Structure formats: C-alpha cells, structure tokens
Amino acid sequence: MIRVAMLSRWHVHADDYAKQIMKNDEAEIVAVWDEDSKRGKRWADEIGVDFEPDLEKLLSRTDIDAVVVNTPTSMHREVIVSAANKGKHIFTEKVMAPTVKECIEIKDAVENGKVKFCISFPQRTFPANLFAKRVVSEKLIGDITLLRIRNAHNGAIANWLPDYFYNAALCGGGAMMDLGAHPMYLSRWLLGEPVSISSVFNSFTEKPVEDNAVSVIEFKNKAIGIVETGFVSTNSMPWLEIYGTQGVLIIGGPEDRVYISSTREDVGTRWVDKDELPKALPMPIEQWIAAITKGEHIEFGLNEGMELTQLMEGAYASFNEGRKISFSTLLR
C-alpha cells in the first residue's frame, strides 16, 4: 500500500486526484499540506487525515511514501526538489515548472533520489489521441504538414475559475500555461522536435493574464502546429485536425467522432468506429501508482515534462518579445 501526502489544494484538479487515489486499492492518502493552512486544514478534515502545516516536517515522515503536487506552478521546483531529496515518489500537475532551468533542477533531484516521477498528461491516454499517434507514426495520411488542436472553455467569462488563476506570478501565465498545456504536449508527442514558436495572446476580459491565446509551432520535420486555447469560449469543443500529403484526420465535433480520409487504398475514407480505436491507457495517477508498486512503465515523466516547459517558455517569450523564438537555446 502506497501512503500518499497531498501537497496543496491550490489547483482545480486536486480533488480529482484525491478521488482517484482513494478509489485505488494500492494507495491511500495519509496527510495533507497546503501553503494556505486554512484551506489545507479544511481539506484534511474532509478526507479524514492529518494536516501538517510544515512541509519539511511532512516530507521527513517515514509513513509517507509519495506526494501529489498541486501547488502554484511557481512553487513546483521548490516543492518537488524537496520531496525528491527526501526520497518521496512524485506526481505533479502540469506544468512541471515555468522554466527549463527549473526543470533541469527537478530532473537532477528526481534522478539522484531514485524516485518515480509522473506528470499529468491525461489526454495522452485517450483512445482517439492514441489513434492519432498511430496515424502519424504509420504515415496513414502520408507525411504530416499541419496540425491544429483546440482546447478552450468559458472559465473567465462564466467566473468559475478561482481568482488566483489570473495571477501570473503564481501560475507562470494564463490560459496557455494552464489549459493550453494539453494541446502543447499533444503536438510535441505527435510531431516531434520543435524548431520555433510564435504567439498571439490577449485578454478579452482584461484580466491580468491572457485568456485568449494561439501559438504556432514549426517542427523539425517541417510540419506546422497550431495550438489554440482560452478561457472565453462557451460550448467550445475539443478539436484535433491533422493534415498530411495523402489525407486528413479529424477528431472532435459535437459527437467527438473520428474521421479519416486517405489516398492509401488500405486506409480509405470513413468514420472510424470506436471498436477500431486503441484501448485507453491507465490515467496518469494509475500509471504512477503501478510504477511504484509493480515497476510498470510511466508514459510521461521527466523528459516529457521538460519538453512541455520548453514549448511554454518559448510561447511566452514570443508573446513578451513580439517575435518568433528559436528553440536552439532551450532544453540543450
């Protein structure tokens, strides 16, 4: 049985992770820490576990094997490095850290501590996206020329996001840093090494961070990726389009269906039945627990976390500097 401490309820997904752990027979929550003591104490009482206000004291406890990090992104390096130095296995909400430099510090600490590390990339477990990976890898629509992924909601205009999600110092950014992480890591997974990135961000609601954002990424294979996100789109549907030299793949729409059209005779043109899609992978928390208890593989770890931060750091540098950013100086 893996004994887990929840580190902060700051992120909106913290409750989801706690529920996933409590449903897993191989893990249990034994303690909570939070940078906001009042919030942490309330959460610990709800779960029925100890609240520990001192992070170093909590990380020194011998009855804790692993931690789930849901702190502000700006605290990730400090918290994760401390946990790794104490020999605790680590699961973290994305983004791994705001800068590649901080990610390298995290990577060194995790490797030196010989602990299991997983970052939350849930959309890489979805059957339709696994099918997209197969389409790209097997060139079912030829060489890829363009990818477009949209992931947006109405959190800013419907006022259901917490106010601190608009604090750049805590979050490292706005909509792109949070919701945009999903199309960012999917684009990197599907298209490979990026060469450059250009961003257009604005604040439709005039909040302190961007709530409407697009980044355009050029990849080494000459494909172009368009990443769209925002907190100001009501009823926006997840959408993935991949265009190649021999066809197209479309995923999404009101029924979240998969459509492929290829000049290859063995592929053809059709709506893809659900039973043709790959089986969903275990969710990130489940992969992490299985890696600790059974030595199983984690699909998204340190390197994938660093790759996402590379894209994010480049995206924000492009917006702030008003120019295209080359990745030749990042993640080297």
Side-chain angles (χ1 to χ4, degrees):
M1 178 71 72
I2 299 303
R3 298 163 297 181
V4 179
M6 305 300 293
L7 304 188
S8 182
R9 201 183 196 176
W10 179 86
H11 200 278
V12 294
H13 293 319
D15 285 350
D16 295 329
Y17 299 139
K19 290 174 184 176
Q20 289 174 39
I21 291 169
M22 289 187 285
K23 289 179 180 178
N24 194 303
D25 293 336
E26 300 294 329
E28 63 176 339
I29 299 171
V30 298
V32 167
W33 169 87
D34 199 306
E35 72 279 3
D36 180 334
S37 293
K38 291 183 179 179
R39 179 177 62 200
K41 181 65 167 60
R42 286 195 303 270
W43 198 22
D45 289 344
E46 289 174 21
I47 297 173
V49 299
D50 295 341
F51 173 69
E52 174 51 66
D54 186 315
L55 179 60
E56 286 303 309
K57 186 175 179 181
L58 178 142
L59 293 176
S60 297
R61 284 174 51 165
T62 58
D63 65 336
I64 292 173
D65 307 303
V67 298
V68 174
V69 179
N70 294 300
T71 67
T73 310
S74 61
M75 297 180 66
H76 277 195
R77 183 203 60 79
E78 174 190 355
V79 172
I80 294 173
V81 168
S82 294
N85 288 342
K86 295 293 187 179
K88 310 303 182 185
H89 302 292
I90 298 154
F91 180 92
T92 184
E93 175 58 56
K94 43 68 178 161
V95 172
M96 183 169 161
T99 67
V100 171
K101 181 180 178 181
E102 292 171 281
C103 287
I104 292 172
E105 294 180 47
I106 289 172
K107 186 173 188 288
D108 289 344
V110 169
E111 290 179 343
N112 289 337
K114 295 181 169 57
V115 296
K116 300 293 185 182
F117 177 92
C118 181
I119 188 168
S120 186
F121 285 5
Q123 293 194 18
R124 278 188 51 177
T125 71
F126 296 174
N129 292 337
L130 293 169
F131 181 75
K133 179 66 172 177
R134 178 190 159 206
V135 167
V136 173
S137 298
E138 298 180 12
K139 295 194 174 185
L140 299 186
I141 57 172
D143 294 318
I144 306 306
T145 56
L146 188 137
L147 166 73
R148 173 180 172 257
I149 309 178
R150 178 169 182 79
N151 192 22
H153 59 52
N154 67 350
I157 52 177
N159 295 315
W160 56 262
L161 282 174
D163 289 342
Y164 51 72
F165 260 50
Y166 309 113
N167 184 325
L170 293 178
C171 304
M176 186 59 77
M177 184 65 72
D178 178 59
L179 197 58
H182 299 293
M184 281 287 193
Y185 66 67
L186 286 176
S187 66
R188 180 66 172 83
W189 177 54
L190 291 168
L191 296 183
E193 183 180 348
V195 174
S196 66
I197 190 165
S198 301
S199 298
V200 176
F201 299 167
N202 66 33
S203 179
F204 183 84
T205 61
E206 299 186 356
K207 294 184 185 298
V209 296
E210 84 282 353
D211 55 25
N212 196 25
V214 176
S215 291
V216 178
I217 310 163
E218 180 185 7
F219 290 85
K220 189 175 181 180
N221 60 10
K222 298 191 182 299
I224 294 172
I226 303 168
V227 170
E228 304 174 6
T229 193
F231 297 154
V232 291
S233 297
T234 298
N235 297 334
S236 180
M237 295 168 286
W239 203 266
L240 186 152
E241 305 169 27
I242 306 179
Y243 299 91
T245 54
Q246 292 180 263
V248 61
L249 175 72
I250 306 292
I251 298 173
E255 298 179 4
D256 195 27
R257 299 189 65 185
V258 178
Y259 172 84
I260 191 168
S261 179
S262 174
T263 58
R264 283 181 44 165
E265 292 184 2
D266 60 331
V267 179
T269 295
R270 69 187 191 282
W271 291 100
V272 180
D273 292 335
K274 288 187 176 181
D275 58 8
E276 293 183 66
L277 301 178
K279 182 180 178 182
L281 295 178
M283 290 295 284
I285 281 276
E286 295 170 357
Q287 292 189 29
W288 178 62
I289 293 171
I292 299 168
T293 59
K294 303 172 185 176
E296 295 187 4
H297 178 64
I298 294 173
E299 293 288 335
F300 12 83
L302 292 166
N303 290 334
E304 289 77 15
M306 291 178 68
E307 289 167 355
L308 173 58
T309 291
Q310 179 198 33
L311 287 171
M312 288 297 187
E313 192 171 3
Y316 281 89
S318 173
F319 168 65
N320 291 326
E321 299 174 24
R323 65 182 180 91
K324 181 167 73 174
I325 296 294
S326 170
F327 287 115
S328 59
T329 59
L330 295 176
L331 204 59
R332 298 297 182 190

